[in-house]
Amino acid sequence: MIIINTDPELKRLFTLVTSVVGIGKVTAIQLIVTTNEFKDINNAKSYACYAGLVPYLEESGIFKGKGRISHMANKKVKTLLHMAALVAIQYNDELRLYYERKVNVEKKNKMSVINAVRNKLVQRIFSCVNQNRMYEKNYLILVA
């Protein structure tokens, strides 16, 4: 934490990333380190692929297999995002309702819904960093 507090750019990134509900200190630091301060990986889709959150379809000709998650992912990041998703489901009303709707009403697999929540967290983190603003729960777009 001393290094983060002394560097203004790291402090800004850390504050933006931890503003998302469910993302703690360890996860935020890991995200900043693995993206090289969001310079090497600067969009959410690329990072979701890196973290193993995107299912890949195995298809050949007319055969279409089930979408599966790649095992070539950064497992530490994937684990941290999994724990963050579980916390977000507990403490964020919007994500809790999303999780309950997918599992109870649409009868989706719990792990695939948690993976979708992980992906939502990554999307939120990267949008906060790219727009240089804190996460707002009730964000309104003002139209002129």
Side-chain angles (χ1 to χ4, degrees):
M1 291 301 294
I2 297 170
I3 296 172
I4 291 174
N5 289 330
T6 56
D7 185 9
E9 178 64 15
L10 280 177
K11 189 172 184 176
R12 180 187 71 83
L13 289 173
F14 185 77
T15 306
L16 292 174
V17 172
T18 54
S19 69
V20 177
V21 176
I23 304 298
K25 294 176 184 177
V26 176
T27 308
I29 292 170
Q30 189 68 30
L31 282 162
I32 293 169
V33 168
T34 55
T35 59
N36 190 21
E37 297 179 13
F38 295 93
K39 294 175 189 166
D40 291 347
I41 303 175
N42 57 5
N43 64 359
K45 286 185 179 182
S46 298
Y47 195 77
C49 288
Y50 171 76
L53 307 179
V54 180
Y56 291 99
L57 294 175
E58 294 179 7
E59 50 188 64
S60 170
I62 58 171
F63 171 75
K64 292 194 177 183
K66 186 178 178 183
R68 300 201 183 270
I69 304 295
S70 173
H71 294 285
M72 300 291 288
N74 185 335
K75 302 233 183 339
K76 184 169 186 170
V77 172
K78 191 173 180 180
T79 303
L80 289 172
L81 287 172
H82 181 81
M83 298 308 292
L86 293 178
V87 169
I89 289 169
Q90 276 187 324
Y91 294 105
N92 188 338
D93 293 333
E94 178 188 355
L95 291 177
R96 182 184 322 117
L97 292 174
Y98 174 80
Y99 177 80
E100 290 172 355
R101 185 184 80 233
K102 289 288 188 182
V103 171
N104 297 330
V105 177
E106 298 180 20
K107 303 296 183 195
K108 298 281 185 181
N109 185 358
K110 289 181 181 180
M111 280 306 295
S112 65
V113 177
I114 290 174
N115 192 52
V117 172
R118 287 190 286 200
N119 204 354
K120 281 180 176 284
L121 289 176
V122 169
Q123 296 282 340
R124 289 177 180 184
I125 291 166
F126 275 85
S127 64
C128 287
V129 170
N130 290 336
Q131 295 175 10
N132 194 22
R133 60 169 46 168
M134 302 282 280
Y135 178 74
E136 299 174 28
K137 183 178 177 184
N138 298 321
Y139 178 70
L140 298 175
I141 299 174
L142 299 176
V143 179

